[in-house]
Amino acid sequence: MDVDAREIGPGMEGSQGQFPLTQNVTVVEGGTAILTCRVDQNDNTSLQWSNPAQQTLYFDDKKALRDNRIELVRASWHELSISVSDVSLSDEGQYTCSLFTMPVKTSKAYLTVLGVPEKPQISGFSSPVMEGDLMQLTCKTSGSKPAADIRWFKNDKEIKDVKYLKEEDANRKTFTVSSTLDFRVDRSDDGVAVICRVDHESLNATPQVAMQVLEIHYTPSVKIIPSTPFPQEGQPLILTCESKGKPLPEPVLWTKDGGELPDPDRMVVSGRELNILFLNKTDNGTYRCEATNTIGQSSAEYVLIVHDPNALAGQTGPDHALIGGIVAVVVFVTLCSIFLLGRYLARHKGTYLTNEAKGAEDAPDADTAIINAEGSQVNAEEKKEYFI
């Protein structure tokens, strides 16, 4: 009579004595599973492995089931190990190791088979896509067990806002999973790689990927680039019409003031360039570059003003008359300042009186002599003589 199935860890071997020990096994579909049954103490008692259908696979070292995928790995009184190669999903289930004591003792090992997801496929892209259109891409993979995980990446950045669907396959063991990505495209998406990545434990950390490179068609963008910022009379000028678009616009159309180029001998169009060989004032005007592809049309304008080289030289060179006038003013102001400063210093050096006043001989000083002279003190002030 069989006892209850159980799995005993290494720490319990001593207490259980004569009892078979097994371990659950997980293997990828198509791989090889090793089923091992060990007995710590065995007094020459036979061991047996049987499958989920209770068919005996091996009894000691004797093969009981005719299946070339099943082989003996090791057989002794203490161990019976067998291998199952090219494992399929139908091999999954509970395997039993029996130790033929009285009563028979058994231990169960569950074999889990992982279903490998098929290489993913991206659908929904039809080339080309017009700028501004809504694109819907679907990534799908079948045969995964358990259900695989799908992730989307654009420019190496993961896109989170996606839809996920899981369906059971006809075998009722594996799953088909799909994920849908919706986004509106613009010209920056042209040439971008959108990646669908499938992660699953059966892939050993190496995910399966599918990639879709986007092709977006859009109207041209146009810009005119002059060869010089200051076109001068008598010099050449090249106007380059830089146009981007998909399909690439070719060729471009040049016009002046809304009409054809007036002087084809001097105004030569080469590819996207307009070459004006010798500029003159009659070339002044608005030049227009127009680019067209199958999606649409775009244009840019450039206003040409031809400058007189002499006028430009006068504007850019130094004004000698202005500089001379400034120098003259500075010199005049300096001389005036020196004159006034000298006069100021001389006036404050001292006041000197002559001894011509009457009574000067008897006076102790010049001021007293003047006061003693004929006339009032007011008159004395008139006789003062200043020396500079």
Side-chain angles (χ1 to χ4, degrees), residues 21-74:
L21 302 175
T22 60
Q23 187 174 5
N24 293 335
V25 176
T26 299
V27 65
V28 175
E29 183 181 13
T32 299
I34 305 294
L35 300 173
T36 299
C37 180
R38 292 188 177 92
V39 180
D40 185 47
Q41 299 176 12
N42 188 4
D43 52 357
N44 300 335
T45 304
S46 295
L47 289 169
Q48 172 188 285
W49 270 112
S50 56
N51 64 15
Q54 296 303 311
Q55 296 171 312
T56 301
L57 304 178
Y58 265 88
F59 187 84
D60 289 337
D61 60 353
K62 298 178 180 60
K63 188 173 184 178
L65 185 66
R66 292 185 178 181
D67 188 336
N68 294 331
R69 300 179 304 126
I70 302 174
E71 299 289 343
L72 180 66
V73 176
R74 184 178 297 106

Side-chain angles (χ1 to χ4, degrees), residues 211-230:
M211 182 175 66
Q212 178 64 64
V213 178
L214 304 182
E215 182 182 1
I216 312 301
H217 282 194
Y218 53 93
T219 57
S221 60
V222 182
K223 180 170 62 174
I224 297 178
I225 303 173
S227 59
T228 175
F230 298 104

Side-chain angles (χ1 to χ4, degrees), residues 16 24 57 61 119 124 233 235 247 264-265 268 278 281 312 333 357 377:
Q16 294 297 324
N24 293 335
L57 304 178
D61 60 353
K119 183 175 176 58
E233 192 171 8
Q235 294 184 352
D265 291 333
V268 180
F278 301 99
K281 293 297 181 65
L312 286 174
V333 172
Q377 188 173 356

